[in-house]
Each structure stands twice: as C-alpha cells, then as structure tokens.
Amino acid sequence: MVADAPPSRSRAWVLMRLASRASIAGDNPAALEFASEGRELAEELAWDEGLCDSLSLLGLVRVYLGDQDGLEDINRGIAIGREAGAYGPLLRAYNTKAVAYQILGDVNAGYEARREGAQLAEQIDSQLQMRWFEGVMIDHHYRRGDWDDAQRMADEFLGEVEAGSPHYNAFQDWIVRALMRLARGDDAGAVRDAERALELGRALADPQAVYFVLPACAYVFARAGEPGRATPPARELIDALERGVDVQFAVINFPLFAAVARDLGLLDEVVDALAGSPETPWIEVVRRYG
C-alpha cells in the first residue's frame, strides 16, 4: 500500500516492521535492505523516533552478518532515542543491543543493556515491556551464574504462563530451567521442561526460537540418560546449518551443542556445517571441542 507513496513516517514505519519480521524469519539480506531504506527515509524526514528504530535494526542485522561495527549503529540509535524521548523504539533498541552483545560473546554487556531496558520500562510503567524484560532476564542470570535468582524468576514467570498468561519468551525460560534442573540432578524435571521448550519453540517457528531450543534440548536429553531422544534434534540442527540457515542469537547455545554432538559422534559434521557461518566466540568454542 505504501510502496509508491510519497515519503512519510507511515512508509518508514512499514519498512522498519518489514525489516524486523525479515530478521526474525532469518532473511538477513531482506532485513538489511528494508532497514537501510527505512533509515534513509527517517533521515530525509528528520524523524528521530524512526532513526532510533531503523538504526538499531540495521545494526543488529550487521552483527548477524558478522560485522561487529553494527554496534555503532545501535548505540547511535540509542543516543538519538534518548535525546528525542522516543521510549518505544528506545526499549526495542536496548533489547537489540543486548542481543548483539550476546552474539559477540560479551555476556556482561548484554546483561547491562537488558537491565537498562528493564529500568526504562519500569520508569514509564509499561507493563507489557516490564514483563518482556522479566522473561529475558532469566537467561542472563543463568549465564552469569546467578542461578538462585534465575531459578526463582523462572518459577514465577512460568507459573504465570501455566496459569493462563502465555508469553513469547516462555520457550527460552523452559529450557533455561531445564538446564538448571539437569545440573542439580533433577533429570526427570529437566526432561519435562525441555519437552515443553521444544513444543513451544516449534509452535513459534521463528529461527531464533527453534534453533535456540534444539541444541539445548539435545543436550538435556543426552545428559539425562536418553541419547536416543537427543539425536533427532541434533540432526535437525545440523541439517539446517548445512542449508545455510542463520540461527541468529541461538548461537549462544552452541557450546552445549558441541558437547552433545561430541557425545553423539556428530561433532565433525557440526564443524563442517558451520564452515560458512559468521565468526563468533560461540562458533570458536565448537571448533575447539574438535
């Protein structure tokens, strides 16, 4: 509807949403094209809110493609958003910054970006965004070693989900709790949580969900004494990598994938399948397992 329309905020907004959806779907070339066009249009219109949004999207796609300088775009977008008081795009930009840092292996910087986003959501009393950040912070606490906080938050968040308040991030929190249960000797509980994570990840069908749960579920199944159940998700991920699928921020679970792939005798195939992937510390970990 707006493809041939004159320059407008509406047209720029549509381009940004197309960029976001293309990125989530794993189509980085399309996301790059839409985000770049949206940024150019926002600049032409001198629309700071649109610039914040488009720069954060553009920066994340660049990081997905292996260009660390994408962080400069994200930080520029955040600076513009702060100055303009563009709270909606700014909240998305903090989330985007966290994902970019996670991909690049800086767990603590990712945590700080998400914490800033959570504080802003609380400051403007956005219940929707506050719940979003509650969900994603569970993973951060887990990876930083704050397991008591991660466990408590996961129990509360997933209790709300089970009570009839579903949320996109639930797949991530089910698998995080599964990993903690596994490490603490609760194999049966870990398997139940992994099964739920796999179910929800497949239902969402987004690459960032499906390819996040596959390696972690394979790891849980194998280490809980069910290697036969671990092979299908591991094989599914290998096949996707061989097709050139971009797993996006799910790459942070690849150390788990390397460990279980070695157990299953699939590590050489995993390393070969990653030959054309953008270099990240997570990919390097996989190679070192070999």
Side-chain angles (χ1 to χ4, degrees):
M1 291 175 65
V2 300
D4 299 319
S8 68
R9 292 185 178 186
S10 294
R11 182 179 175 190
W13 186 88
V14 169
L15 287 166
M16 293 165 205
R17 300 286 67 75
L18 285 170
S20 178
R21 287 308 309 169
S23 176
I24 291 172
D27 188 350
N28 286 322
L32 190 64
E33 179 181 350
F34 288 131
S36 297
E37 189 175 349
R39 180 203 60 195
E40 292 170 2
L41 190 51
E43 287 177 340
E44 180 182 347
L45 298 167
W47 184 30
D48 288 343
E49 183 176 340
L51 266 176
C52 174
D53 218 2
S54 59
L55 283 167
S56 65
L57 284 166
L58 182 61
L60 182 58
V61 175
R62 289 176 65 189
V63 170
Y64 280 153
L65 293 170
D67 182 0
Q68 295 188 24
D69 290 340
L71 276 170
E72 295 178 6
D73 284 335
I74 297 171
N75 286 326
R76 183 184 164 212
I78 287 174
I80 291 171
R82 282 175 179 161
E83 184 68 23
Y87 295 126
L90 190 55
L91 284 165
R92 291 192 290 273
Y94 279 125
N95 191 70
T96 296
K97 184 177 180 178
V99 173
Y101 272 122
Q102 285 180 301
I103 292 168
L104 296 173
D106 195 333
V107 175
N108 288 327
Y111 167 79
E112 290 299 330
R114 280 259 167 75
R115 192 174 61 84
E116 287 184 80
Q119 289 174 341
L120 178 59
E122 186 173 357
Q123 176 185 333
I124 65 173
D125 195 28
S126 172
Q127 298 298 314
L128 182 66
Q129 291 295 333
M130 286 166 65
R131 189 158 189 246
W132 170 271
F133 283 105
E134 285 174 6
V136 294
M137 288 298 284
I138 293 166
D139 185 273
H140 285 283
H141 285 296
Y142 162 70
R143 293 181 196 278
R144 284 163 51 87
D146 304 327
W147 281 25
D148 288 342
D149 286 338
Q151 181 79 47
R152 173 184 54 78
M153 293 168 68
D155 289 345
E156 291 175 0
F157 191 85
L158 294 174
E160 293 174 2
V161 170
E162 290 183 306
S165 183
H167 197 274
Y168 181 93
N169 285 332
F171 76 90
Q172 187 176 13
D173 298 328
W174 284 112
I175 198 59
V176 165
R177 193 171 74 173
L179 290 165
M180 289 188 292
R181 283 181 162 175
L182 180 71
R184 287 169 163 165
D186 181 8
D187 289 358
V191 168
R192 286 196 302 271
D193 281 354
E195 290 171 340
R196 187 67 175 126
L198 191 58
E199 176 187 352
L200 291 176
R202 291 194 187 284
L204 289 170
D206 292 335
Q208 65 179 6
V210 175
Y211 302 120
F212 187 91
V213 298
L214 286 177
C217 286
Y219 179 87
V220 170
F221 293 149
R223 295 299 169 92
E226 300 188 29
R229 296 186 64 186
T231 300
R235 174 61 65 190
E236 183 178 347
L237 181 50
I238 293 171
D239 292 344
L241 293 171
E242 290 175 342
R243 297 195 309 271
V245 169
D246 189 330
V247 300
Q248 302 171 330
F249 94 101
V251 72
I252 67 177
N253 276 343
F254 273 30
L256 293 173
F257 193 36
V260 71
R262 186 173 61 182
D263 291 348
L264 298 173
L266 299 173
L267 185 57
D268 287 344
E269 291 185 55
V270 174
V271 172
D272 290 344
L274 289 170
S277 299
E279 291 298 321
T280 70
W282 312 106
I283 300 295
E284 179 62 20
V285 167
V286 177
R287 293 198 179 101
R288 300 232 176 175
Y289 261 83

Short mmCIF file of all heavy atoms in Angstrom, two decimals, residues 56 74 78 82 89-99 110 112-114 116-118 120 133:
data_model
loop_
_atom_site.label_atom_id
_atom_site.label_comp_id
_atom_site.label_asym_id
_atom_site.label_seq_id
_atom_site.Cartn_x
_atom_site.Cartn_y
_atom_site.Cartn_z
N SER A 56 18.85 0.74 15.07
CA SER A 56 19.01 -0.44 15.93
C SER A 56 18.77 -1.72 15.13
O SER A 56 19.50 -2.71 15.28
CB SER A 56 18.09 -0.38 17.14
OG SER A 56 16.74 -0.42 16.78
N ILE A 74 23.68 0.71 16.51
CA ILE A 74 22.76 0.52 17.63
C ILE A 74 22.96 1.62 18.67
O ILE A 74 21.99 2.23 19.15
CB ILE A 74 22.95 -0.87 18.26
CG1 ILE A 74 22.61 -1.97 17.25
CG2 ILE A 74 22.07 -1.01 19.51
CD1 ILE A 74 22.97 -3.37 17.71
N ILE A 78 20.38 4.53 19.97
CA ILE A 78 20.02 4.73 21.38
C ILE A 78 20.23 6.18 21.79
O ILE A 78 19.40 6.78 22.48
CB ILE A 78 20.82 3.77 22.28
CG1 ILE A 78 20.29 2.34 22.11
CG2 ILE A 78 20.75 4.19 23.74
CD1 ILE A 78 21.08 1.28 22.83
N ARG A 82 17.23 8.53 23.13
CA ARG A 82 17.27 9.19 24.44
C ARG A 82 16.99 10.69 24.29
O ARG A 82 16.21 11.27 25.04
CB ARG A 82 18.64 9.00 25.08
CG ARG A 82 18.88 7.64 25.70
CD ARG A 82 20.31 7.58 26.17
NE ARG A 82 20.65 6.32 26.81
CZ ARG A 82 21.89 5.88 26.98
NH1 ARG A 82 22.90 6.62 26.54
NH2 ARG A 82 22.12 4.75 27.57
N PRO A 89 10.75 2.95 20.60
CA PRO A 89 11.94 2.49 19.87
C PRO A 89 13.15 2.31 20.78
O PRO A 89 13.98 1.43 20.56
CB PRO A 89 12.18 3.61 18.85
CG PRO A 89 10.85 4.25 18.66
CD PRO A 89 10.18 4.16 20.01
N LEU A 90 13.26 3.13 21.83
CA LEU A 90 14.40 3.03 22.72
C LEU A 90 14.39 1.71 23.49
O LEU A 90 15.43 1.07 23.67
CB LEU A 90 14.38 4.21 23.70
CG LEU A 90 15.62 4.42 24.58
CD1 LEU A 90 16.88 4.52 23.74
CD2 LEU A 90 15.44 5.68 25.43
N LEU A 91 13.21 1.28 23.92
CA LEU A 91 13.12 -0.02 24.60
C LEU A 91 13.52 -1.15 23.67
O LEU A 91 14.24 -2.07 24.07
CB LEU A 91 11.69 -0.23 25.11
CG LEU A 91 11.31 0.55 26.37
CD1 LEU A 91 9.80 0.54 26.56
CD2 LEU A 91 12.01 -0.02 27.59
N ARG A 92 13.08 -1.08 22.42
CA ARG A 92 13.47 -2.10 21.44
C ARG A 92 14.98 -2.05 21.19
O ARG A 92 15.62 -3.08 21.02
CB ARG A 92 12.70 -1.91 20.14
CG ARG A 92 11.22 -2.24 20.25
CD ARG A 92 10.55 -2.32 18.90
NE ARG A 92 10.43 -1.03 18.24
CZ ARG A 92 9.42 -0.18 18.42
NH1 ARG A 92 8.44 -0.49 19.26
NH2 ARG A 92 9.37 0.97 17.76
N ALA A 93 15.53 -0.83 21.17
CA ALA A 93 16.96 -0.69 20.91
C ALA A 93 17.81 -1.28 22.02
O ALA A 93 18.86 -1.90 21.77
CB ALA A 93 17.31 0.79 20.70
N TYR A 94 17.40 -1.11 23.28
CA TYR A 94 18.13 -1.72 24.39
C TYR A 94 18.10 -3.25 24.26
O TYR A 94 19.10 -3.94 24.52
CB TYR A 94 17.54 -1.30 25.73
CG TYR A 94 18.00 0.05 26.21
CD1 TYR A 94 17.09 1.05 26.53
CD2 TYR A 94 19.36 0.35 26.35
CE1 TYR A 94 17.50 2.30 26.98
CE2 TYR A 94 19.78 1.59 26.79
CZ TYR A 94 18.84 2.56 27.11
OH TYR A 94 19.27 3.79 27.53
N ASN A 95 16.94 -3.77 23.89
CA ASN A 95 16.82 -5.21 23.71
C ASN A 95 17.74 -5.68 22.59
O ASN A 95 18.44 -6.70 22.70
CB ASN A 95 15.36 -5.56 23.40
CG ASN A 95 15.10 -7.05 23.46
OD1 ASN A 95 15.12 -7.64 24.52
ND2 ASN A 95 14.86 -7.65 22.31
N THR A 96 17.75 -4.92 21.49
CA THR A 96 18.59 -5.24 20.35
C THR A 96 20.08 -5.20 20.72
O THR A 96 20.87 -6.07 20.33
CB THR A 96 18.32 -4.24 19.21
OG1 THR A 96 16.97 -4.40 18.77
CG2 THR A 96 19.25 -4.46 18.04
N LYS A 97 20.45 -4.20 21.49
CA LYS A 97 21.85 -4.08 21.93
C LYS A 97 22.26 -5.29 22.75
O LYS A 97 23.37 -5.81 22.60
CB LYS A 97 22.02 -2.80 22.74
CG LYS A 97 23.45 -2.52 23.18
CD LYS A 97 23.54 -1.19 23.92
CE LYS A 97 24.96 -0.88 24.37
NZ LYS A 97 25.03 0.44 25.06
N ALA A 98 21.37 -5.75 23.62
CA ALA A 98 21.67 -6.93 24.43
C ALA A 98 21.91 -8.15 23.55
O ALA A 98 22.86 -8.91 23.77
CB ALA A 98 20.52 -7.20 25.41
N VAL A 99 21.05 -8.35 22.55
CA VAL A 99 21.20 -9.49 21.65
C VAL A 99 22.52 -9.40 20.90
O VAL A 99 23.24 -10.40 20.76
CB VAL A 99 20.02 -9.56 20.67
CG1 VAL A 99 20.26 -10.64 19.62
CG2 VAL A 99 18.71 -9.83 21.41
N GLY A 110 25.74 -7.57 27.54
CA GLY A 110 24.36 -7.90 27.17
C GLY A 110 23.43 -7.76 28.35
O GLY A 110 22.32 -7.22 28.23
N GLU A 112 23.87 -5.78 30.97
CA GLU A 112 23.72 -4.36 31.31
C GLU A 112 22.73 -3.68 30.37
O GLU A 112 21.94 -2.83 30.81
CB GLU A 112 25.08 -3.67 31.27
CG GLU A 112 26.02 -4.07 32.40
CD GLU A 112 25.45 -3.75 33.77
OE1 GLU A 112 24.69 -2.77 33.91
OE2 GLU A 112 25.76 -4.48 34.73
N ALA A 113 22.77 -4.02 29.09
CA ALA A 113 21.83 -3.42 28.14
C ALA A 113 20.39 -3.81 28.48
O ALA A 113 19.48 -2.96 28.43
CB ALA A 113 22.18 -3.85 26.72
N ARG A 114 20.20 -5.06 28.82
CA ARG A 114 18.85 -5.50 29.17
C ARG A 114 18.40 -4.86 30.48
O ARG A 114 17.24 -4.51 30.65
CB ARG A 114 18.81 -7.03 29.28
CG ARG A 114 18.72 -7.70 27.89
CD ARG A 114 17.30 -8.13 27.60
NE ARG A 114 17.09 -8.50 26.22
CZ ARG A 114 17.50 -9.62 25.63
NH1 ARG A 114 18.22 -10.48 26.30
NH2 ARG A 114 17.18 -9.87 24.38
N GLU A 116 19.24 -1.90 31.58
CA GLU A 116 18.85 -0.53 31.26
C GLU A 116 17.46 -0.50 30.64
O GLU A 116 16.65 0.38 30.96
CB GLU A 116 19.87 0.09 30.31
CG GLU A 116 21.19 0.44 30.93
CD GLU A 116 22.11 1.15 29.96
OE1 GLU A 116 21.95 2.37 29.75
OE2 GLU A 116 22.99 0.47 29.37
N GLY A 117 17.19 -1.45 29.77
CA GLY A 117 15.87 -1.52 29.17
C GLY A 117 14.80 -1.79 30.20
O GLY A 117 13.72 -1.18 30.18
N ALA A 118 15.09 -2.70 31.13
CA ALA A 118 14.11 -3.02 32.19
C ALA A 118 13.84 -1.82 33.07
O ALA A 118 12.70 -1.57 33.48
CB ALA A 118 14.63 -4.19 33.02
N LEU A 120 14.06 1.34 32.18
CA LEU A 120 13.25 2.29 31.41
C LEU A 120 11.80 1.84 31.37
O LEU A 120 10.88 2.66 31.52
CB LEU A 120 13.81 2.44 30.01
CG LEU A 120 13.03 3.38 29.08
CD1 LEU A 120 12.95 4.79 29.66
CD2 LEU A 120 13.66 3.41 27.69
N PHE A 133 10.98 -7.90 29.71
CA PHE A 133 12.31 -7.92 30.29
C PHE A 133 12.41 -8.91 31.44
O PHE A 133 13.48 -9.50 31.68
CB PHE A 133 12.72 -6.51 30.73
CG PHE A 133 13.14 -5.64 29.58
CD1 PHE A 133 12.30 -4.65 29.09
CD2 PHE A 133 14.36 -5.82 28.96
CE1 PHE A 133 12.69 -3.85 28.03
CE2 PHE A 133 14.76 -5.04 27.88
CZ PHE A 133 13.92 -4.04 27.42
#
